[in-house]
Amino acid sequence: MAKDQKKQPRPKAETPKGFRDYFGADVTERKQMLDAIAAVYHRHGFDPLETSAVETVQALGKFLPDVDRPNAGVFAWQEEAVPGGGTAGDWLALRYDLTAPLARVAAQFRNDLPSPYRRYAMGPVWRNEKPGPGRFRQFYQCDADTVGSASVAADAEICAMLVDALEAVGIARGDYLVRVNNRKVLNGIMETAEIRPDQADDVLRQIDKFDKVGRDGVLALLTTGRKDNSGAEIGGVGLADAQAAPVLAFLTSKGHDNAATLANLRDAVGSSEMGAEGVDELAQIADMLAAMGVAEDRAVIDPSIVRGLGYYTGPVFEAELTFEILDEKGRKRQFGSVAGGGRYDGLVERFTGQKVPATGVSIGVDRLLAALRAKGLSGGESAGPVVVTVMDRDRMGDYQAMAAELRAAGIRAEVYLGNPKNFGNQLKYADKRQSPVAVIQGGDESERGVVQIKDLVLGARIAAEASHEEWKAQPAQTEVPRDQLVAEVRRILG
Amino acid sequence: MAKDQKKQPRPKAETPKGFRDYFGADVTERKQMLDAIAAVYHRHGFDPLETSAVETVQALGKFLPDVDRPNAGVFAWQEEAVPGGGTAGDWLALRYDLTAPLARVAAQFRNDLPSPYRRYAMGPVWRNEKPGPGRFRQFYQCDADTVGSASVAADAEICAMLVDALEAVGIARGDYLVRVNNRKVLNGIMETAEIRPDQADDVLRQIDKFDKVGRDGVLALLTTGRKDNSGAEIGGVGLADAQAAPVLAFLTSKGHDNAATLANLRDAVGSSEMGAEGVDELAQIADMLAAMGVAEDRAVIDPSIVRGLGYYTGPVFEAELTFEILDEKGRKRQFGSVAGGGRYDGLVERFTGQKVPATGVSIGVDRLLAALRAKGLSGGESAGPVVVTVMDRDRMGDYQAMAAELRAAGIRAEVYLGNPKNFGNQLKYADKRQSPVAVIQGGDESERGVVQIKDLVLGARIAAEASHEEWKAQPAQTEVPRDQLVAEVRRILG
């Protein structure tokens, strides 16, 4: 290797574009959040599943539920011919979500898995797409799905579990809301409105703009079209007003409570059987949520939630954080969606030909973590270690004994391992590590059987605030007998 | 998609060759083990680092420290031209270990990271090689490294931490031993023995066989050669006996304690300065381990440990589990190595041209987990959830309320979500889930305000052991008032 290096230019020390590293607290905070969510999933009877990052392109298919990234590509490569190994020519790829591997597992192990199969999965997924600010090509997902149950009890359970998960990571009641809608109600509306199948996708696209353009905007888009802000004409779907009316009734049917909303929806779906079935399902979900102690201020029927309606086949849910944060331009805005899910068919069908009903939820790990930070609920636990400084490099064993004693008492501690010549560098290092305490023992202190304990947090405050007299008194540094080391450090750490 | 599917044959529901899925306890047991190790690393002042799975091939280089898999390949692919995205033509690859990404990070962030930089990392790595029994192309590694310290205090600390980590996951004192050797001592031996540089690799290869062929075997291999079991002649390196003598003295210098071993080594290195430096380093490590409270029954100087000597540049360590297990043929054998590491140069040099000293350890996650299972120290926590059965599908809310109450009391619980018609299927499901308890409430019980609680563990034992009279008495099923549900389940779970 050494010979080759001389000939080659030095490699660049860079991540590939769109990838990043996570250091220290970034790793532990995400882990704490995922651990809390996993505990909730586990308590609900869900079992962990960890599939490999690599799947065959064939098994992976193209099944992206994520409406935010519809055109995402995958990282794929072709297997080489390995003597005696895998078939040459197989195309492999990194998983782009956790649902496609679940589909493969549900088909592959369908005779062994319990049915229904409740599983959760958390881990990185990869998208081969254009990176952008805050948009990476590797990111975490955290999913829970129930495969093999057609009952809306499974959907209600997922909603209740989502509520529990949000509270488990520290989002207070009142700071979030899970909204529930149902694709079947929309299908019933389409039936009642006599919308032709070839118009359905177009109608879905327009009602998806309800958030942005409001009731009148959607009405215009469904009928004769509208002008956008720049004055440009945007063509309409061409429905008659009478056809658009049930769609708008659907979108605006949210009442002051679930009972009122359900009554409005029953009116809106008219005589459609599919629509009535959808409303019945929502009514059952509402009852079950109440039975599980989830009140309407935590999860509520809300037909204005249309995101995902195109992809899912039955109930749809979305969790929104309702508190305001400041955006990058300092403007207040709602934090918005952190999780979504719903019922979908065809998960296993690609493999076996049999429809298997499934429902699930995916939590946006990075967004939820950002929300916790915005609320000051994460980021506290980045305390550095106690640093035992080195005054005399022949006595490393003494310093290591001190660190070992501190650790045995459960205190995070380390010995300074750089060049000890310059003591200032050791304190600079402790500062960089955000150390709360430095331990110092020179030859003199060693002979007298004492150690100096420096309270670096207090020291920093004094340096910033104290008068000259206060500073001279050095209250941040105390000398204690060697055998009081652990007790004194513990006192300072509180 | 639906249209395409009809034309295509169904995809195979299979992992790519050499990859596998991990279900339930396989996931949680590994997680628990890694959490325990991370806590030890953290307490020693090490910070977590999570790099992305994907690196540029250029940055990754070819730097495999793993002597077990020297010819491992990588999974690599070439970037497509993404409009406005990454440079077309960049070759990307999945990381093959956690050291190469550390090298890249240490170079990329050298001005921002504390120095020395202590970091730990745990996660999957990928090798594009021939899969075999128990040999997968994705597996976990768990590393801790100190970058930027030339002091053997860093090596001693890693050894002490490894000892702590093994005990933290449940390996009892006496069931493991960390052995420490030093490449510099071997270099000194080579000097004293006047072994030519072009013979060095050959000598290394032969002493690596010490475990298998013993003292006399290595002597023959270093000098005139030997016959193997089949009678075939194996050529020797061609050293004179006087040259081979110091090498053999080195390999067999282990005394009854560290002091004796170090004295033997001092004799063996003769007048070599390099050798004396190596022995001094081992003596310092021995002193520091003692200072940290790590006795010689936990970590010991042992020059017969030659694995890794070719790769590392200074101290080398290896953790072995010393208890016996039965192999696949039922024969007793030592469990063997579960972790290894040492000091290496050139980590960052590829990128910056500057040598940065580093030392680290890698724990074999799968082997250590297998060891814990072999000792019965892992695998207990696979208790299934309490299953609330469904007797009346119109009362799903009632059943969900029961499960919610149990969960609120911290008990893992779920409602049966399959087709409830056949009650036997519900109990079969509970059996498959390894449920400890089933809850039953039919219309009759509901009217009377009671629930039936079935102790499935006791029930299984009775079914296997009990007499007909005992079985008829149904001690495994009790009826309690509805409001005693949680208390009764808690009583049964103990």
Side-chain angles (χ1 to χ4, degrees):
Chain A
M1 199 180 69
K3 284 171 205 155
D4 288 352
Q5 272 175 33
K6 292 208 180 107
K7 293 178 206 153
Q8 291 168 5
R10 281 182 196 144
K12 278 189 198 141
E14 283 175 3
T15 49
K17 286 195 178 59
F19 291 90
R20 57 161 294 190
D21 303 304
Y22 295 85
F23 293 89
D26 283 344
V27 178
T28 45
E29 286 169 16
R30 181 172 58 204
K31 185 182 177 310
Q32 280 164 13
M33 192 184 83
L34 292 176
D35 283 356
I37 295 171
V40 170
Y41 289 172
H42 182 262
R43 207 181 318 128
H44 280 76
F46 285 66
D47 274 343
L49 168 68
E50 186 172 324
T51 60
S52 63
V54 180
E55 297 273 350
T56 65
V57 164
Q58 188 194 39
L60 215 47
K62 190 72 189 154
F63 202 62
L64 269 178
D66 194 333
V67 291
D68 270 355
R69 303 177 182 235
N71 298 315
V74 297
F75 290 105
W77 63 91
Q78 195 166 18
E79 282 263 60
E80 287 164 44
V82 180
T87 316
D90 267 6
W91 277 87
L92 305 184
L94 293 177
R95 65 184 181 204
Y96 55 78
D97 72 0
L98 300 173
T99 309
L102 171 62
R104 195 258 308 148
V105 165
Q108 183 172 355
F109 299 98
R110 61 188 179 282
N111 296 326
D112 307 308
L113 290 172
S115 177
Y117 176 48
R118 289 176 175 94
R119 88 87 180 78
Y120 69 85
M122 23 192 74
V125 301
W126 294 265
R127 304 271 168 95
N128 188 4
E129 58 184 14
K130 186 183 162 184
R135 198 174 187 81
F136 295 99
R137 301 207 283 173
Q138 172 176 330
F139 54 94
Y140 268 73
Q141 288 195 335
C142 169
D143 289 17
D145 294 84
T146 301
V147 179
S149 175
S151 165
V152 288
D155 302 281
E157 179 183 88
I158 296 260
C159 289
M161 188 165 73
L162 177 54
V163 157
D164 275 0
L166 292 173
E167 294 189 11
V169 302
I171 306 289
R173 212 165 282 189
D175 274 348
Y176 69 86
L177 187 60
V178 173
R179 294 190 166 92
V180 185
N181 198 356
N182 194 337
R183 172 69 196 253
K184 285 184 187 171
V185 178
L186 177 63
N187 286 351
I189 296 286
M190 301 263 210
E191 208 172 85
T192 285
E194 295 178 1
I195 290 164
R196 297 191 314 269
D198 65 291
Q199 293 174 314
D201 280 353
D202 233 8
V203 169
L204 264 175
R205 232 189 322 278
Q206 304 310 341
I207 68 174
D208 214 18
K209 297 178 186 158
F210 179 65
D211 269 357
K212 281 183 204 147
V213 304
R215 186 196 176 285
D216 294 343
V218 172
L219 173 60
L221 288 168
L222 289 175
T223 53
T224 54
R226 67 188 283 270
K227 283 189 180 150
D228 72 6
N229 288 339
S230 68
E233 281 286 345
I234 300 171
V237 181
L239 301 186
D241 280 2
Q243 287 183 291
V247 177
L248 291 166
F250 166 73
L251 287 173
T252 58
S253 56
K254 176 90 172 68
H256 65 279
D257 62 12
N258 282 345
T261 305
L262 291 165
N264 292 340
L265 283 177
R266 262 186 226 293
D267 285 347
V269 296
S271 61
S272 161
E273 272 180 45
M274 168 68 85
E277 187 182 316
V279 181
D280 283 347
E281 286 185 1
L282 285 177
Q284 286 176 55
I285 290 174
D287 285 348
M288 291 177 187
L289 286 171
M292 285 184 276
V294 178
E296 294 185 25
D297 61 338
R298 301 163 75 196
V300 69
I301 308 297
D302 187 342
S304 70
I305 295 304
V306 289
R307 201 168 148 268
L309 275 187
Y311 172 74
Y312 295 107
T313 57
V316 177
F317 16 93
E318 188 168 335
E320 201 177 308
L321 300 189
T322 52
F323 55 81
E324 287 181 334
I325 55 156
L326 298 179
D327 68 11
E328 56 280 8
K329 291 183 182 166
R331 290 170 307 205
K332 280 189 181 178
R333 62 169 187 82
Q334 296 260 305
F335 194 92
S337 173
V338 291
R343 178 165 286 280
Y344 50 99
D345 293 328
L347 180 73
V348 183
E349 193 182 8
R350 282 181 62 235
F351 296 102
T352 65
Q354 291 179 313
K355 269 202 195 323
V356 175
T359 182
V361 67
S362 184
I363 293 179
V365 174
D366 297 321
R367 279 188 61 75
L368 185 53
L369 195 53
L372 293 176
R373 286 186 182 144
K375 287 287 269 187
L377 292 168
S378 196
E381 201 277 323
S382 63
V386 170
V387 170
V388 178
T389 60
V390 176
M391 303 296 283
D392 179 354
R393 75 166 81 201
D394 291 338
R395 289 195 301 111
M396 278 307 270
D398 291 353
Y399 302 124
Q400 288 181 314
M402 293 179 201
E405 270 174 51
L406 289 165
R407 289 193 289 258
I411 297 166
R412 193 179 188 207
E414 57 171 58
V415 174
Y416 180 72
L417 285 180
N419 186 335
K421 250 188 190 164
N422 182 332
F423 188 68
N425 279 349
Q426 299 199 46
L427 289 185
K428 266 183 217 158
Y429 171 85
D431 188 49
K432 197 158 200 170
R433 296 300 321 269
Q434 300 184 275
S435 303
V437 169
V439 177
I440 304 160
Q441 191 194 52
D444 162 58
E445 282 101 352
S446 174
E447 269 171 40
R448 291 191 292 119
V450 298
V451 287
Q452 301 283 340
I453 315 279
K454 208 172 163 67
D455 181 336
L456 298 173
V457 179
L458 180 60
R461 215 172 60 222
I462 288 173
E465 298 170 7
S467 68
H468 187 65
E469 283 70 31
E470 286 171 310
W471 187 80
K472 275 208 303 188
Q474 292 252 12
Q477 188 159 335
T478 48
E479 182 178 299
V480 296
R482 170 66 181 81
D483 61 6
Q484 297 294 305
L485 166 68
V486 170
E488 177 63 11
V489 170
R490 197 180 257 149
R491 190 191 64 75
I492 292 174
L493 296 178
Chain B
M1 200 181 70
K3 283 172 206 156
D4 289 350
Q5 272 176 33
K6 289 198 183 116
K7 291 177 209 156
Q8 290 168 6
R10 283 182 194 143
K12 279 190 195 140
E14 283 174 4
T15 49
K17 285 197 179 58
F19 292 90
R20 56 161 295 190
D21 303 304
Y22 295 84
F23 294 89
D26 282 344
V27 178
T28 45
E29 285 170 17
R30 181 173 56 205
K31 185 181 176 312
Q32 280 164 14
M33 192 184 83
L34 291 177
D35 283 356
I37 294 171
V40 170
Y41 288 173
H42 181 263
R43 207 181 319 130
H44 280 77
F46 285 67
D47 275 344
L49 168 67
E50 186 172 324
T51 60
S52 64
V54 180
E55 297 273 350
T56 66
V57 164
Q58 187 194 39
L60 216 45
K62 191 73 187 152
F63 203 64
L64 272 177
D66 194 334
V67 291
D68 270 356
R69 302 177 180 235
N71 298 314
V74 298
F75 291 105
W77 64 89
Q78 194 166 19
E79 281 265 60
E80 286 165 45
V82 180
T87 315
D90 266 6
W91 276 87
L92 305 184
L94 292 177
R95 64 184 180 204
Y96 54 79
D97 72 1
L98 300 172
T99 309
L102 171 62
R104 195 258 308 147
V105 165
Q108 184 173 354
F109 299 97
R110 61 187 179 282
N111 296 326
D112 306 309
L113 291 172
S115 177
Y117 176 49
R118 288 176 175 93
R119 87 89 180 80
Y120 70 85
M122 23 192 72
V125 300
W126 294 265
R127 304 272 169 93
N128 188 4
E129 59 185 14
K130 187 182 162 184
R135 197 174 187 80
F136 296 99
R137 301 207 283 174
Q138 171 176 330
F139 54 94
Y140 268 72
Q141 289 195 334
C142 169
D143 288 16
D145 295 83
T146 300
V147 179
S149 175
S151 166
V152 288
D155 302 281
E157 178 183 88
I158 296 259
C159 290
M161 188 165 74
L162 177 55
V163 157
D164 274 0
L166 293 173
E167 294 190 10
V169 302
I171 307 289
R173 213 165 282 189
D175 274 348
Y176 69 87
L177 187 60
V178 172
R179 295 190 166 91
V180 185
N181 197 356
N182 195 338
R183 173 67 196 253
K184 286 185 187 170
V185 177
L186 177 63
N187 286 352
I189 296 285
M190 301 262 210
E191 209 172 86
T192 284
E194 295 179 0
I195 290 163
R196 297 192 313 270
D198 65 291
Q199 293 173 313
D201 280 353
D202 233 8
V203 170
L204 264 174
R205 231 188 323 278
Q206 304 309 342
I207 67 174
D208 214 19
K209 297 176 185 159
F210 180 66
D211 269 358
K212 283 182 203 148
V213 303
R215 186 196 176 283
D216 293 343
V218 172
L219 173 61
L221 288 168
L222 288 175
T223 52
T224 55
R226 66 187 284 270
K227 282 189 181 152
D228 72 6
N229 288 339
S230 69
E233 281 286 345
I234 300 170
V237 180
L239 301 186
D241 280 1
Q243 287 182 290
V247 177
L248 291 166
F250 166 73
L251 286 173
T252 58
S253 56
K254 175 92 171 66
H256 64 280
D257 62 12
N258 282 345
T261 305
L262 291 165
N264 291 340
L265 283 177
R266 262 186 225 295
D267 284 347
V269 297
S271 61
S272 161
E273 271 180 44
M274 168 68 84
E277 187 182 316
V279 180
D280 283 347
E281 287 184 1
L282 285 178
Q284 286 176 54
I285 290 175
D287 286 347
M288 291 175 186
L289 286 171
M292 286 184 277
V294 179
E296 294 185 25
D297 62 338
R298 300 164 75 196
V300 69
I301 308 298
D302 186 343
S304 70
I305 296 304
V306 289
R307 202 169 148 265
L309 274 187
Y311 172 73
Y312 295 108
T313 56
V316 177
F317 17 92
E318 187 168 335
E320 201 178 308
L321 300 189
T322 52
F323 55 82
E324 286 182 333
I325 55 157
L326 298 179
D327 68 11
E328 55 280 8
K329 292 182 181 167
R331 291 170 307 206
K332 281 189 182 177
R333 62 169 187 81
Q334 295 260 305
F335 193 91
S337 172
V338 290
R343 177 165 287 280
Y344 49 100
D345 293 328
L347 180 74
V348 183
E349 193 182 7
R350 283 181 61 235
F351 296 102
T352 64
Q354 290 179 313
K355 269 202 196 321
V356 175
T359 183
V361 67
S362 184
I363 293 179
V365 174
D366 297 321
R367 280 187 60 75
L368 186 54
L369 195 54
L372 293 174
R373 285 184 183 145
K375 287 288 267 187
L377 293 168
S378 196
E381 201 277 324
S382 63
V386 171
V387 170
V388 179
T389 60
V390 175
M391 303 296 283
D392 179 355
R393 76 166 81 201
D394 291 338
R395 290 195 301 110
M396 278 307 270
D398 291 352
Y399 302 124
Q400 288 180 314
M402 293 180 202
E405 270 174 52
L406 288 165
R407 288 194 289 259
I411 297 166
R412 193 179 187 206
E414 59 172 58
V415 174
Y416 180 72
L417 285 181
N419 186 336
K421 250 187 189 165
N422 182 332
F423 188 68
N425 280 348
Q426 299 198 46
L427 290 185
K428 267 184 219 157
Y429 171 85
D431 188 48
K432 196 157 201 171
R433 297 300 321 269
Q434 299 184 278
S435 304
V437 169
V439 177
I440 304 161
Q441 192 194 51
D444 162 59
E445 282 102 352
S446 174
E447 270 172 39
R448 292 191 291 118
V450 298
V451 286
Q452 301 283 340
I453 314 279
K454 208 172 162 67
D455 182 336
L456 299 172
V457 180
L458 181 58
R461 215 172 58 222
I462 288 172
E465 298 170 7
S467 68
H468 187 64
E469 283 70 32
E470 285 171 311
W471 187 80
K472 276 209 302 188
Q474 291 252 13
Q477 187 157 336
T478 49
E479 181 178 297
V480 296
R482 170 67 180 79
D483 61 6
Q484 297 294 305
L485 166 67
V486 170
E488 177 64 11
V489 170
R490 197 179 258 151
R491 190 193 62 75
I492 293 174
L493 296 178

